[in-house]
Amino acid sequence: FVFHTYTTGFTLFNGNGTAKADYSIQEKQIYYSLGAISYAACVGALPLVFVNRYLSKSSLTQLVVRNLLPAPLLGLTSAFTVMVVRSPEFVHGIEVMDRNGKVVGVSQKAGEKAVKETALSRGLLFGTTFLLPPVLTHFVQRAKLVKTPRTLAAVRMIFVTSVLAGMLPVSLSVFPQCGEIKRADLEPEIVSSTEETELFYNRGI
């Protein structure tokens, strides 16, 4: 819950500002954010609840549910919260600009592209960050390279920090901050208002 609260707040304050400037949606976004946080936190916790109460206690089940399943779930829920919190951007659109930075119009299609790219990069970041450390830690345990739980916890934290530090620049660079979209892919009113073949938009973080 705390994790999704932080990432959702980060998303809320680092999206494209077009919709906020032109529409009174901040209150609605807060409600969307609270719903997304609650939903994502519950989805992330449910597998652990089921394995503790109803499922087999075998080592394979424990490995899958406790160590492997949370990573893709976290990636999916992180992408989901981005889509929900920034949904006004593809409902109302965001500004698109020419090469000189002149605003040509407001496009829903550009907003949809920006939100999808950000959601994908966020899912990649957290999904990978929480998938690799448990796998690496499992091999460390199998190889009996560490002998105490405290040392194992330290090794796990080193893995998490290293993977996060490596994946952060990767996730930010998968899609450029200044996104490009072809004029032909935009709304007819924008197509008719410029001769530029490619237009640009602020993707947000």
Side-chain angles (χ1 to χ4, degrees), residues 12-23:
L12 190 62
F13 288 108
N14 290 281
N16 184 291
T18 305
K20 291 180 183 177
D22 295 335
Y23 301 93

Side-chain angles (χ1 to χ4, degrees), residues 10-11 53 66 78 85-86 93 95 160 162 185 190 200:
F10 181 87
T11 301
R53 294 192 177 185
R66 289 185 178 278
S78 296
V85 173
R86 292 182 56 179
E95 291 177 347
V160 170
S162 301
D185 295 334
I190 297 178
F200 304 89

